[in-house]
Amino acid sequence: MKPKVIVTRRWPAEVEARLQEKYDVTLNASDHPMSVAEFKSALQTYDAVLTTVTDGMTPDAFEGLSLENVRTKIIGNYGVGFSHIDVSSAKRLNLTVTNTPDVLSECTADIAILLMLMAARRGGEGEREVRSGNWTGWRPTHMIGSKVSGGVFGVLGFGRIGREAAQRAMGFGMSIKVFNRSKVPSEVLQAFNAEQVGSINELAEAADFLSLHCPGGAENTHLINAEVLARMKPTGYIINTARGEVVDDVALVEALKNGVIAGAGLDVFQGEPAINPDLLTLDNVVLLPHLGSATSATREAMGFRVIENIDAFFNGSEPPDRVV
Ligand code: 8YV
């Protein structure tokens, strides 16, 4: 008997087809985000639940479940971040959790650079002006932005995506400063000609662009707060392709309104798709709808990576990307 597998959202067609060849699959034809009740019932019905960031698997989604009534053995998350999955409940229920690292690092780093350029060179504002018919023509003082090339690129979290972003920033002649909880090996720092600083405040003071590449979750919630923003240069920018909760968006709005920093580029939001409405009123912030991994090559690779993990699991070997 093939293991019973449920996919919580629509995936690229090739990946869904591959899954269907191998497993007894239930697809989410309408692509609606699963409710807590649906998720709870899935855990009692399927051998594997294949999730995404839109599945809020907070402790209440696991409430009332026990080893006796849970059928699921593995949660295969489609995405690298898994802070939406309550790890202690997963452990209590003896669930294996896997993610999809590596395959999305380049494309997510691309979006960080896109946001940096758009924010600094006022790409969003410019586009809005042209489309609205309000552009009156070239003039020396029109829509002046900030120079990116040669600036300081601050990386908070020097993992795979942070390094890809730094690599790209080096192409703009930027110098790299890094804050990372653990010590980055000196040969890695050398390869980026990077300096590892000792605190987030120090990084904030040095960076022209402070790009966030750490995981989300409780321990990184509001790492970027009013105090850190106050340390930044008034010409500085925050770039967030990590998780919305890493930035205190109320403090960010104040900083953007009051000239504490020059601007921001955000691909992720606390409580997304809801967005702090004040952000929508500000011209010095660029807003994207969580596009980090949104290329066809990457979304397919993510799906095949989930399949590799559940294949390994159901064949009795260690899934390559086990995180719990
Ligand atoms: C994913 C992401 O597309 O992988 C991640 O952590 O943030 C995104 O790029 C999303 O999480 C899908 O689950």
Side-chain angles (χ1 to χ4, degrees):
M1 275 245 296
K2 289 178 177 174
K4 268 171 78 83
V5 169
I6 185 166
V7 186
T8 65
R9 301 301 300 263
R10 259 359 274 249
W11 283 9
E14 295 78 353
V15 189
E16 290 188 344
R18 176 83 60 85
L19 263 178
Q20 281 173 314
E21 285 161 20
K22 299 182 159 211
Y23 296 97
D24 174 1
V25 181
T26 299
L27 297 175
N28 179 352
S30 70
D31 204 17
H32 71 280
M34 267 167 74
S35 66
V36 165
E38 284 173 303
F39 180 63
K40 220 172 251 190
S41 132
L43 286 168
Q44 296 169 85
T45 315
Y46 296 92
D47 299 301
V49 180
L50 309 186
T51 57
T52 73
V53 69
T54 59
D55 300 307
M57 287 164 290
T58 46
D60 54 323
F62 296 93
E63 219 173 72
L65 298 177
S66 66
L67 289 171
E68 284 67 50
N69 61 13
V70 163
R71 172 166 175 169
T72 300
K73 295 281 174 284
I74 178 167
I75 294 179
N77 188 59
Y78 181 93
V80 67
F82 58 95
S83 55
H84 52 285
I85 302 174
D86 180 51
V87 165
S88 63
S89 298
K91 284 185 177 158
R92 174 175 69 78
L93 296 170
N94 213 7
L95 297 169
T96 294
V97 180
T98 61
N99 70 348
T100 63
D102 303 318
V103 290
L104 46 67
S105 303
E106 293 176 329
C107 284
T108 305
D110 290 346
I111 289 286
I113 300 300
L114 173 73
L115 285 171
M116 171 170 74
L117 291 170
M118 281 186 74
R121 303 301 307 276
R122 305 176 64 175
E125 276 179 274
E127 236 254 342
R128 286 192 290 280
E129 184 177 87
V130 173
R131 282 185 187 275
S132 64
N134 288 331
W135 184 35
T136 55
W138 189 90
R139 60 185 191 280
T141 54
H142 179 230
M143 216 169 265
I144 302 306
S146 308
K147 186 174 176 187
V148 171
S149 298
V152 175
F153 190 69
V155 186
L156 198 165
F158 207 46
R160 303 175 191 88
I161 302 173
R163 291 176 198 191
E164 288 291 344
Q167 190 71 54
R168 285 156 177 70
M170 287 169 77
F172 288 91
M174 302 181 86
S175 54
I176 312 299
K177 301 238 188 234
V178 168
F179 173 80
N180 195 64
R181 287 222 165 99
S182 57
K183 170 130 187 51
V184 178
S186 54
E187 62 275 17
V188 174
L189 290 173
Q190 265 163 28
F192 291 88
N193 202 10
E195 182 196 349
Q196 180 167 13
V197 300
S199 69
I200 295 176
N201 280 342
E202 215 180 312
L203 188 69
E205 282 165 13
D208 294 308
F209 298 89
L210 176 43
S211 194
L212 311 180
H213 300 287
C214 58
E219 72 173 25
N220 289 344
T221 293
H222 294 184
L223 281 186
I224 302 301
N225 51 35
E227 188 202 331
V228 172
L229 291 164
R231 298 292 187 112
M232 289 183 67
K233 303 174 188 177
T235 50
Y237 291 79
I238 288 282
I239 307 299
N240 191 7
T241 53
R243 281 292 178 265
E245 67 265 21
V246 178
V247 176
D248 175 350
D249 58 2
V250 174
L252 178 65
V253 165
E254 285 309 303
L256 290 167
K257 272 188 185 161
N258 300 325
V260 174
I261 64 171
L266 310 174
D267 187 43
V268 286
F269 305 88
Q270 183 153 27
E272 63 186 49
I275 292 187
N276 180 329
D278 291 339
L279 286 171
L280 304 175
T281 68
L282 296 171
D283 258 336
N284 55 348
V285 58
V286 175
L287 307 168
L288 294 181
H290 201 147
L291 294 181
S293 63
T295 65
S296 48
T298 299
R299 289 284 163 85
E300 280 170 24
M302 288 162 70
F304 290 126
R305 190 85 173 222
V306 176
I307 297 179
E308 258 176 64
N309 277 285
I310 62 168
D311 282 355
F313 182 85
F314 289 115
N315 289 332
S317 30
E318 179 71 4
D321 305 311
R322 181 179 182 152
V323 289
V324 174

